[in-house]
């Protein structure tokens, strides 16, 4: 018999649970994996949510959905231990209630005994603040309520393992712990770092941080007995083995201390005793009814990002430095970062829901991975000071090849950058243009990328990519104009006019009759390569020519503009004849084929009005009459009836002339994104019937999902384009290789200065400079560019000519692995060759940090900082950076060994 007291408690618990449940929005979106900490290609952690009904028993993984990233989260309530992340022992799994995904956050609502928790994984997107955008860190924070309304004794715990910095359990790792006035952080890195890696960066340092000043205990009027606590109560930050620390946490009572079983600061990812060293932060909240935004930060830092020499002819090797990560700045920034993230989420969701909730779901899932494909870099002068005029961005072809700045992926992601931060497009284009403007690049058409595999950037001077000449030249011209239109920044046009003109001329000669040229889709193996005259490819080329006409106009070259307009118009007329057949569009000239004419979006995004309205209507009619819609949408083309591409489907949706067609295309892509039966971290390529993904390339976590923003990008306003005065007189000549303009007022710099100044103003002045970066490069230097083995692009297999209705097998789609839990054993080989990129002091023994004396000033609104900073000149900023650097050097000289912190 239950006692009366117990019964009443149960009834109250039930009422609370119902009330809370009704307060929650009903979950309707069920991705098979959700982003947890997704900021860069290598700081990229996901949770596979296919595991039966409770994702709270699954270890987080790297984006490849294979490699476990050890990350355990516990809450202990009245002495009972539950985990809210990972699958650690001891302890019970908390009960999963639901998952919400917003553009910047993934929120897992779980029940742990009487406490209901919102576990929020926040990966900020910081448009317009490139300093913050380049932090490779994410937050996880807990909010909780006792569902019985009573106080409970609560302790919290989180740890990460060395799996964050290597693929292999046997890799040697070293770690340390640093306490500043406002943050405690652990760091761990390999003892044998190498910049040759496939996915998990073997030259990275992972951080696990917590604020030592509590933002958690905000004063609540509802609670009469509040405390203002400075510092998390009984914060314990310690490195020990998983088995020792987790067991101690589960068994020790209130006011606990944890004891390490590790001597020293070196070990293996997994010791010979089977134990994993883990870096933990734990705390005791005492008796409480609520948990208010207790936050940790995690992230993976690589520095330098890569080395890039614009063109071999220049002979200058720039060391690109991730200049902005500040380990305690990130933690101190949490309250304002969250406020900004919520505001951004709200804006994006409001815009996207005006299309549909389906569409809002796709945008929410795609936003973080679109931004995380890109890293922003700043180079240094030979004396080590930063070159603020040289801001670049580098994209890794995550989930696909390992190419750097793959042009067709930048094209796919363009809508996200146009909507979120159009200057990113320019920073991605700059190194591509710089490289192709050098004398080492001699092709008359544009290159597909900067080479690879990431992070090596050898360039790709070979002639192998002639088969993609129309594809890449068209993409580049479209991207350059899109960047100028959406930012108003004409500097790329001014600098590279002649190069762009050369590509446009190539298109004038080649675009209409592509012959045996391929579109980039051939890389995925979903186009039949023997097919000639692909309509959609010709369309891209012709749109590229009209884009050049606009570029010429912007440059004040009226004759060129007229010439290109005349060419584009006449080629378009011919194309209409070749592509259409009784009110339908063909995928290839002369054949009864069909496919998604996704390049129509470029005409719309650039507002060229080159393509006649009748073509849009014909495309709509073709879709509804010819393409068979399966559960997960339309196949890309009749070349392969089973292969669907989410990115190009969304391009087509945004280009559709009517809302019915638009929504018809969006709905099944959303169906797939919300199908939790098949493996995949939001892949772009999947089987249209089964939803299964291809074995390789699997397209997991591809930045190409920036295409989800296609409909929103249509509303991005035109800016008045200004070409800097010194560039309007001619531009750099193609092949001259030396006329790199050093504009200190360039477009991108504005954003960077804003970012830097905002950070300076919040009073956080940690400068991390590598001695290495200050060294003067010389021929025998460690910066010598590695000579990589030639990188083979994945080429699709030749297929003998599938036509309409054929049974061309195409790519093989893999069924799920029978065990949905990734195995913890590793068969994969770790690349072992060292490259000259590695510095001796890859992993400095001590932390290089300074701390703000006034952390409170971090609450100053960042916008005020930005405004005042832009008026300051770059020179002033540079001297400020120099001063800071001196301060840091002094600090470093005075700094004792890192405090062992408990
Ligand atoms: C998987 O999706 C179904 C709906 O299709 C949903 O009921 C279930 O809760 C989902 N599971 C997870 C772990 O998200
Ligand atoms: C958890 O999130 C839901 C949905 O946003 C919200 O209604 C609820 O109040 C949150 N709970 C806590 C404890 O913050
Ligand atoms: C929490 O409450 C329990 C039971 O009422 C009590 O034994 C314990 O001392 C309290 N702890 C604190 C830190 O107040
Ligand atoms: C199409 O959808 C957009 C956005 O949802 C809306 O503004 C517009 O009015 C719709 N057009 C028609 C013709 O319904
Ligand atoms: C127009 O462009 C073509 C190449 O596309 C070139 O051969 C021709 O000279 C140009 N005409 C003028 C007047 O610039
Ligand atoms: C491409 O189309 C043109 C024009 O119709 C035709 O002359 C040519 O033979 C086609 N090329 C191939 C390889 O089929
Ligand atoms: C944007 O600029 C282009 C070129 O100047 C122009 O054709 C187009 O009409 C403009 N669009 C809007 C909405 O102002
Ligand atoms: C982007 O570049 C433009 C042109 O230089 C500049 O005016 C603008 O402030 C930049 N935008 C952001 C958000 O940094």
């Amino acid at each position: 018999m239950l006692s009366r007291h117990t019964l009443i408690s149960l009834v109250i618990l039930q009422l609370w649970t119902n009330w809370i449940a009704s307060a929650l929005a009903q979950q309707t979106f069920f991705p098979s994996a959700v982003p947890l900490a997704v900021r860069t290609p290598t700081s990229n952690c996901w949770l596979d949510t296919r595991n039966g009904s409770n994702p709270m028993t699954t270890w987080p993984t790297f984006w490849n959905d294979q490699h476990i990233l050890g990350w355990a989260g516990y809450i202990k309530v009245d002495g009972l231990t539950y985990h809210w992340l990972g699958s650690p022992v001891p302890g019970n799994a908390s009960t999963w209630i639901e998952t919400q995904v917003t553009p910047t956050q993934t929120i897992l609502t779980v029940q742990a005994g009487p406490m209901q928790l919102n576990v929020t994984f926040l990966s900020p997107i910081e448009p317009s603040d490139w300093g913050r955008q380049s932090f490779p860190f994410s937050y996880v924070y807990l909010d909780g309520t006792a569902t019985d309304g009573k106080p409970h004794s609560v302790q919290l715990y989180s740890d990460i393992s060395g799996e964050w910095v290597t693929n292999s359990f046997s890799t040697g790792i070293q770690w340390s712990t640093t306490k500043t006035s406002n943050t405690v952080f652990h760091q761990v890195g390999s003892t044998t770092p190498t910049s040759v890696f496939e996915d998990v960066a073997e030259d990275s340092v992972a951080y696990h941080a917590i604020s030592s000043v509590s933002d958690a205990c905000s004063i609540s009027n509802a609670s009469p007995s509040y405390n203002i606590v400075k510092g998390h109560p009984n914060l314990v930050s310690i490195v020990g083995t998983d088995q020792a620390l987790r067991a101690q946490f589960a068994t020790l009572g209130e006011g606990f201390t944890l004891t390490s079983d590790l001597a020293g600061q070196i070990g293996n990812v997994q010791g010979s005793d089977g134990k994993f060293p883990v870096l933990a932060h734990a705390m005791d909240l005492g008796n409480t009814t609520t948990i208010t935004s207790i936050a940790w930060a995690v992230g993976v830092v690589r520095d330098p990002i890569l080395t890039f020499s614009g063109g071999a002819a220049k002979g200058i090797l720039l060391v690109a430095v991730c200049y902005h990560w500040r380990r305690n700045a990130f933690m101190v920034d949490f309250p304002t970062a969250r406020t900004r993230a919520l505001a951004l989420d709200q804006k994006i969701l409001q815009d996207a829901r005006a299309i549909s909730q389906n569409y809002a779901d796709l945008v929410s899932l795609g936003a973080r991975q679109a931004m995380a494909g890109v890293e922003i870099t700043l180079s240094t002068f030979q004396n080590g000071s930063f070159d603020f005029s040289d801001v670049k961005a580098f994209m890794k072809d995550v989930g696909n090849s390992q190419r750097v700045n793959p042009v067709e992926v930048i094209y796919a992601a363009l809508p996200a950058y146009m909507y979120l931060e159009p200057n990113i497009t320019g920073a991605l284009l700059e190194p591509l243009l710089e490289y192709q403007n050098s004398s080492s690049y001699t092709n008359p058409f544009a290159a597909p990328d900067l080479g690879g595999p990431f992070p090596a950037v050898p360039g790709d001077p070979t002639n192998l990519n002639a088969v993609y000449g129309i594809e890449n030249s068209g993409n580049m011209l479209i991207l350059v104009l899109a960047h100028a239109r959406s930012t108003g920044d004409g500097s790329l046009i001014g600098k590279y006019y002649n190069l762009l003109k050369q590509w446009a001329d190539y298109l004038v000669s080649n675009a209409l009759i592509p012959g045996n040229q391929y579109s980039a889709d051939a890389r995925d193996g979903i186009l039949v390569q023997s097919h000639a005259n692909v309509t959609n490819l010709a369309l891209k080329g012709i749109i590229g020519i009209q884009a050049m006409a606009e570029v010429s106009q912007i440059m004040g070259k009226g004759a060129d503009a007229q010439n290109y307009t005349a060419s584009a118009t006449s080629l378009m007329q011919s194309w209409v004849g070749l592509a259409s057949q009784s009110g339908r569009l063909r995928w290839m000239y002369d054949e009864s084929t069909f496919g998604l004419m996704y390049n129509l979006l470029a005409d719309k995004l650039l507002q060229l009005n080159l393509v006649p309205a009748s073509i849009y209507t014909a495309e709509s009619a073709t879709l509804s009459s010819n393409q068979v819609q399966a559960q997960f949408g339309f196949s890309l083309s009749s070349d392969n009836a089973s292969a669907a591409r989410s990115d190009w489907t969304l391009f087509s949706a945004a280009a559709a002339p009517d809302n019915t067609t638009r929504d018809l295309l969006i709905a099944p892509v959303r169906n797939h994104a919300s199908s939790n039966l098949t493996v995949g971290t939001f892949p772009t390529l999947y089987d249209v019937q089964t939803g299964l993904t291809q074995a390789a390339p699997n397209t997991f976590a591809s930045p190409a999902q920036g295409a989800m923003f296609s409909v929103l990008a249509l509303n991005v306003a035109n800016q008045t384009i200004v070409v800097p005065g010194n560039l309007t007189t001619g531009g750099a000549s193609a092949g001259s290789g030396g006329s790199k303009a050093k504009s200190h007022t360039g477009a991108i710099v504005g954003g960077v200065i804003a970012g830097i100044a905002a950070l300076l103003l919040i009073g956080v002045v940690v400068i991390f400079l590598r001695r290495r970066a200050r060294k003067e490069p010389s021929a025998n230097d460690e910066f010598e560019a590695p000579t990589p083995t030639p990188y083979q692009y994945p080429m699709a297999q030749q297929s003998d000519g599938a036509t309409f209705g054929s049974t061309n097998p195409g790519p093989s789609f893999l069924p799920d692995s029978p065990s949905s839990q990734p195995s913890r054993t590793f068969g994969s080989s770790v690349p072992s060759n060292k490259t000259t990129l590695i510095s001796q002091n890859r992993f400095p023994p001590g932390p290089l940090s300074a701390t703000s004396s006034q952390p409170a000033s971090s609450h100053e609104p960042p916008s005020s900082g930005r405004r005042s900073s832009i008026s300051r000149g770059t020179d002033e900023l540079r001297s400020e950076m120099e001063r800071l650097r001196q301060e840091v050097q002094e600090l470093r000289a005075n700094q004792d060994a890192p405090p062992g912190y408990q």
Side-chain angles (χ1 to χ4, degrees):
M1 282 286 276
L2 293 171
S3 74
R4 197 169 154 239
H5 180 83
T6 316
L7 270 174
I8 290 172
S9 302
L10 280 174
V11 168
I12 290 174
L13 179 68
Q14 190 58 46
L15 288 174
W16 263 95
T17 313
N18 291 350
W19 184 82
I20 293 280
S22 65
L24 296 171
Q26 187 63 45
Q27 178 176 357
T28 53
F29 187 46
F30 298 98
S32 38
V34 289
L36 297 185
V38 175
R39 293 303 301 273
T40 72
T42 51
S43 195
N44 208 304
C45 177
W46 293 69
L47 184 64
D48 189 315
T49 44
R50 287 175 303 149
N51 187 26
S53 56
N54 193 359
M56 309 320 291
T57 56
T58 309
W59 285 108
T61 62
F62 196 59
W63 63 255
N64 61 19
D65 210 0
Q66 292 285 318
H67 177 75
I68 287 175
L69 297 176
W71 188 5
Y74 277 129
I75 178 171
K76 188 161 57 172
V77 187
D78 298 334
L80 282 178
T81 306
Y82 305 85
H83 46 86
W84 46 263
L85 185 62
S87 188
V89 284
N92 308 308
S94 49
T95 305
W96 173 72
I97 298 172
E98 66 161 16
T99 305
Q100 298 285 338
V101 178
T102 74
T104 65
Q105 309 188 55
T106 297
I107 306 152
L108 295 162
T109 303
V110 303
Q111 189 79 32
M115 297 299 290
Q116 186 167 82
L117 299 178
N118 286 346
V119 185
T120 304
F121 296 87
L122 167 60
S123 291
I125 291 173
E126 302 274 13
S128 81
D129 185 339
W130 287 25
R132 287 190 170 91
Q133 178 57 37
S134 63
F135 282 130
F137 298 115
S138 301
Y139 302 103
V140 54
Y141 62 93
L142 298 190
D143 291 291
T145 319
T147 36
D148 61 2
K150 294 184 182 155
H152 295 277
S153 166
V154 171
Q155 292 80 37
L156 300 175
Y157 173 100
S158 166
D159 73 37
I160 67 165
S161 76
E163 289 158 294
W164 284 72
V165 294
T166 177
N167 259 303
S168 165
F169 283 179
S170 57
T171 303
I173 50 170
Q174 54 186 319
W175 55 83
S176 63
T177 303
T178 307
K179 183 184 192 306
T180 73
S181 65
N182 47 41
T183 304
V184 189
F185 57 85
H186 299 295
Q187 65 192 74
V188 60
S190 167
T191 52
T192 53
T194 167
S195 67
V196 178
F197 55 82
E198 277 195 11
D199 290 327
V200 177
E202 304 275 346
D203 61 352
S204 59
V205 179
Y207 287 85
H208 187 210
I210 192 164
S211 181
S212 55
V213 180
S214 178
D215 323 302
C217 301
S218 54
I219 300 169
S220 154
N221 292 333
S223 155
S225 59
Y226 60 79
N227 289 320
I228 304 171
V229 185
K230 283 290 168 200
H232 288 305
N234 298 323
L235 177 62
V236 178
S237 298
I238 189 170
V239 182
T241 66
D242 56 339
Q243 294 181 21
L245 296 187
R246 292 169 188 171
Q248 284 178 56
F249 177 80
T251 53
L252 294 174
E254 293 181 344
F256 61 97
T257 57
L258 301 177
T259 313
S260 179
D261 56 337
L262 288 168
Q265 296 185 308
I266 291 187
N268 288 339
V269 171
Q270 185 181 31
S272 51
D273 52 6
K275 299 175 183 173
F276 292 78
V278 293
L279 301 82
H281 299 288
M283 77 192 75
D284 182 5
L285 298 183
N287 289 336
T288 181
T289 52
T290 56
I291 300 168
T292 310
S293 301
I294 303 280
W296 292 261
V298 293
V300 172
V301 173
R302 293 184 59 252
D303 187 27
I305 306 294
L306 44 69
T307 57
F308 172 71
S309 59
K314 278 165 64 177
I316 302 167
L317 206 54
L318 300 172
V319 181
V321 182
C322 166
Y323 54 97
H324 249 318
W325 60 275
R326 308 283 179 264
R327 293 163 294 192
N328 34 350
F330 188 72
M331 209 61 241
V332 170
D333 205 29
F334 170 64
T336 51
R338 182 177 49 174
T339 305
R340 286 191 303 273
L342 293 174
L344 181 67
D345 278 352
Q346 199 178 10
K347 174 182 163 18
I348 297 173
L349 288 174
Q350 188 179 333
D351 290 352
R353 283 182 185 140
I355 314 302
S356 64
Q357 183 57 44
N358 276 348
Y359 183 63
D361 289 341
L362 289 174
V363 164
S364 294
L365 193 56
R368 275 166 282 180
Q369 79 192 56
M371 294 304 283
V374 176
E375 296 194 86
I376 300 166
T377 67
L378 190 65
S379 66
T380 54
F381 289 115
Q382 295 193 352
N383 68 4
S385 59
F386 292 122
D387 182 355
F388 290 105
S389 71
D390 188 20
V391 180
K392 293 186 170 70
F394 294 91
M395 174 190 273
K396 180 185 177 187
D397 191 15
V398 173
N400 221 321
S401 69
Q402 301 214 59
R403 296 151 58 215
V404 180
N405 290 20
V407 174
E408 79 281 7
V409 183
I410 299 175
Y411 176 67
L414 172 70
Y417 306 144
M418 278 182 77
Y419 178 86
L420 292 168
E421 166 48 340
N423 289 350
I424 293 256
T425 319
L428 285 164
L429 290 172
E430 171 67 48
L432 284 162
L433 291 163
E434 189 178 321
Y435 161 62
Q436 291 168 83
N437 203 37
S438 75
S439 57
S440 63
Y441 190 82
T442 53
N443 293 329
F445 46 81
D449 49 52
L450 290 170
F454 182 92
V457 193
D460 188 12
T462 66
N463 215 20
L464 286 175
N465 294 296
V467 289
Y468 295 116
I470 297 172
E471 168 80 32
N472 295 312
S473 304
N475 284 340
M476 288 300 287
L477 292 169
I478 291 165
L479 287 166
V480 164
L481 181 60
H483 166 250
R485 279 281 176 77
S486 50
T487 61
D489 173 15
S491 62
L492 292 179
I493 289 173
K495 267 198 228 176
Y496 300 109
Y497 184 76
N498 289 349
L499 182 64
L500 301 174
K501 197 168 179 304
Q502 185 189 326
W503 295 336
D505 292 341
Y506 173 84
L507 290 175
V508 169
S509 314
N510 295 282
L512 180 63
I513 309 294
N516 289 319
Q517 290 213 19
Y518 309 142
S519 83
D521 301 308
R523 292 181 187 280
D524 296 337
I526 59 172
L527 280 197
V528 177
Q529 294 199 352
S530 58
H531 279 177
N533 289 335
V534 176
T535 320
N536 188 49
L537 179 61
L539 174 65
K540 177 179 284 180
I542 299 167
I543 292 174
I545 298 166
Q546 183 60 31
M548 185 67 204
E550 301 281 337
V551 163
S552 301
Q553 197 67 53
I554 291 161
M555 199 60 183
K557 309 239 181 214
D560 286 357
Q562 273 179 7
N563 198 351
Y564 289 119
T565 299
S567 295
T569 309
S570 115
L571 292 174
M572 178 49 61
Q573 269 168 13
S574 310
W575 180 86
V576 169
L578 289 163
S580 18
Q581 181 185 42
S582 37
R584 302 286 183 271
L585 294 181
R586 301 188 282 203
W587 188 242
M588 282 161 290
Y589 302 160
D590 304 326
E591 287 191 56
S592 295
T593 50
F594 53 85
L596 296 180
M597 215 63 69
Y598 61 83
N599 287 320
L600 286 171
L601 183 66
D603 183 51
K604 283 205 139 186
L605 275 184
L606 299 174
Q607 300 168 28
L608 298 176
N609 297 317
L610 176 68
V611 184
S614 61
I615 290 293
Y616 288 96
T617 318
E619 166 70 349
S620 200
T622 312
L623 273 176
S624 36
S625 66
N626 288 50
Q627 305 256 117
V628 183
Q629 188 185 357
Q631 186 182 4
F632 299 122
F634 298 88
S635 60
L636 176 64
S637 76
S638 50
D639 273 1
N640 184 325
S642 65
R645 281 282 299 249
S646 61
D647 45 1
W648 303 145
T649 309
L650 262 285
F651 265 50
S652 301
D658 55 87
N659 289 354
T660 312
T661 309
R662 179 195 72 192
D663 297 341
L664 185 73
L665 286 158
I666 289 173
V669 174
R670 191 271 182 191
N671 270 356
H672 185 254
S674 180
S675 152
N676 60 16
L677 298 175
T678 54
V679 67
T681 50
F682 201 20
T684 49
L685 172 62
Y686 52 84
D687 187 294
V688 75
Q689 307 282 350
T690 64
L692 296 173
T693 47
Q694 198 175 239
N698 62 23
T699 69
F700 285 5
S702 168
Q705 295 288 29
M708 299 302 107
F709 282 78
S710 295
V711 186
L712 294 182
L714 291 172
N715 296 325
V716 171
N718 266 352
Q719 306 289 330
T720 308
I721 301 165
V722 179
V723 181
N726 58 330
L727 297 173
T728 44
T729 48
S733 62
S736 76
S739 50
K740 182 179 171 242
K742 285 269 174 189
S743 159
H744 290 272
T745 52
I748 305 152
V749 182
V752 173
I753 292 171
I756 293 168
L759 282 183
L760 293 179
L761 282 180
I762 63 173
V764 181
V765 293
V766 188
I767 303 293
F768 184 89
L769 288 173
R770 299 276 176 185
R771 261 155 287 178
R772 183 162 34 93
R774 241 173 265 129
K775 281 186 61 180
E776 205 171 304
S778 73
N780 302 319
D781 197 80
E782 63 199 31
F783 293 111
E784 183 84 12
T787 37
T789 46
Y791 182 65
Q792 294 297 321
Y793 295 109
M795 296 285 285
Q797 281 170 356
Q798 287 293 124
S799 157
D800 29 26
T803 50
F804 182 80
S806 86
T807 52
N808 171 34
S812 62
F813 289 92
L814 283 195
D816 279 354
S817 62
S819 81
S820 54
Q821 272 283 29
S823 153
R824 285 189 72 98
T825 49
F826 281 83
S828 77
S829 60
V830 179
S832 59
N833 18 347
K834 309 255 189 315
T835 76
T836 48
L837 284 169
I838 303 306
S839 141
Q840 308 94 314
N841 54 354
R842 174 68 256 171
F843 192 84
L848 310 172
S849 67
T851 58
S852 158
S853 52
Q854 294 198 324
S857 68
S858 69
H859 296 281
E860 194 164 314
S863 57
S864 65
R866 202 171 303 140
R867 240 176 287 121
S868 63
S869 69
I870 285 175
S871 56
R872 286 193 278 171
T874 312
D875 291 341
E876 191 184 335
L877 196 81
R878 180 177 296 153
S879 67
E880 204 160 349
M881 293 302 281
E882 286 300 321
R883 184 177 57 74
L884 288 174
R885 190 159 61 105
Q886 278 164 17
E887 274 175 25
V888 169
Q889 273 169 338
E890 281 161 30
L891 261 160
R892 191 198 292 161
N894 297 337
Q895 197 160 32
D896 298 331
Y901 186 73
Q902 275 231 349

